[in-house]
Amino acid sequence: TAGFVAILQLLEQLHPIAQPRFVFLENVQGFLGSQARGRLLETLRRCHYTWKEYVVSPMELGIPNHRKRYYILCEASSSSDRFSSSDDDTNVHYQLDEDIAQAFGFGKVVVVPTTNNDNGNDNSMAPEYPPRTISEYLDDNSSDSNTEVDDFDSYGIDRDTLAKPWASDLPLVGPSDTHSHCFTAFYSRQIHKSTGSLLLLDESIPSVAAALADNALDRSDMTKFVGKIRRFSPSELLRLFGFPPHFALVDDDDDGPLRLQTQYKLIGNSINVTVVSILLYELIVLSNRPTTAATTNETASNSND
């Protein structure tokens, strides 16, 4: 985009003394194979930066939401030599730093055997964090003051929609499930797995994933789920995205909440705060510190406070 190109041009125009020590960028996963990435790396190289690239998802931390994104951590090479200036795809990291993730409260890593990771390489010791269930992020189970789920009419899927022939393919998840589709800016306007999951609240079906796997979920007549299927509320999405409990989207004009559609759009265009916090911690906080597990745990604990 024009804005992206303008930033790269500005970075090159700056005197080396004025250039930022750190550069951090997040983009969709497809950025990895794009011409824009090539232009970014060439600019960083000419400006004497080194970098470390990631393609990771909150799912790797046990957060029940698919949101795989490309990230690049950059540091002026005069400040440190801990990163590289390679544009080889084999140097892209598909796992977050284990010690930092644990220091941010994501528990003991469970090592599981796997044959392929996202970069296509064999990796028999890929770390997997204990998964959390969707129920932990729902308004019904939250002690936050920022909850909205009582207004079911705003989030519920109506009978007319459930009567559609395609309703049997709705992207449903239940409170006990440990995954959900990526939520996008179109979540309030389109019902499709490409825009985010819908929540099925039925005590007889706590895990939709398990029911689907066992062919135990009868979807021949979806109207029987009227009053039981809804969108996730904005406050629930904010929790999944790692925003702090006190965070809320308000209208500056009247201090009230923004329109629901606007909230969904802003959240869908935002970042997963937990993943970004871990990466920024690695980029900035650890830049002048030894990267031992003990040091990481101590400093990350202070950052969380």
Side-chain angles (χ1 to χ4, degrees), residues 77-226:
S77 57
S78 59
S79 302
S80 172
D81 60 357
R82 61 193 174 120
F83 299 151
S84 74
S85 57
S86 170
D87 57 5
D88 191 333
D89 288 357
T90 60
N91 289 328
V92 177
H93 296 260
Y94 290 85
Q95 299 164 15
L96 293 165
D97 183 280
E98 181 178 325
D99 291 329
I100 301 176
Q102 289 190 49
F104 271 76
F106 284 88
K108 181 179 180 180
V109 174
V110 178
V111 178
V112 296
T114 182
T115 54
N116 289 285
N117 57 19
D118 290 273
N119 61 2
N121 297 328
D122 180 73
N123 186 349
S124 60
M125 296 294 284
E128 180 178 298
Y129 296 83
R132 301 184 180 190
T133 63
I134 287 173
S135 63
E136 298 179 46
Y137 298 84
L138 299 183
D139 288 340
D140 289 339
N141 293 334
S142 174
S143 58
D144 302 349
S145 58
N146 182 27
T147 60
E148 306 162 345
V149 78
D150 290 339
D151 185 13
F152 192 90
D153 289 342
S154 297
Y155 312 111
I157 306 303
D158 60 42
R159 176 180 292 274
D160 288 345
T161 299
L162 294 177
K164 301 290 185 182
W166 45 261
S168 59
D169 294 324
L170 289 176
L172 302 177
V173 293
S176 297
D177 288 329
T178 56
H179 77 283
S180 57
H181 292 293
C182 179
F183 296 96
T184 74
F186 297 100
Y187 185 55
S188 67
R189 297 166 52 189
Q190 299 177 4
I191 299 177
H192 191 270
K193 66 180 181 181
S194 64
T195 63
S197 295
L198 299 175
L199 188 63
L200 172 58
L201 297 173
D202 189 323
E203 293 182 358
S204 66
I205 314 172
S207 173
V208 174
L212 291 174
D214 296 337
N215 293 317
L217 182 60
D218 180 8
R219 296 192 285 179
S220 59
D221 179 13
M222 295 296 289
T223 59
K224 65 186 176 184
F225 295 121
V226 171

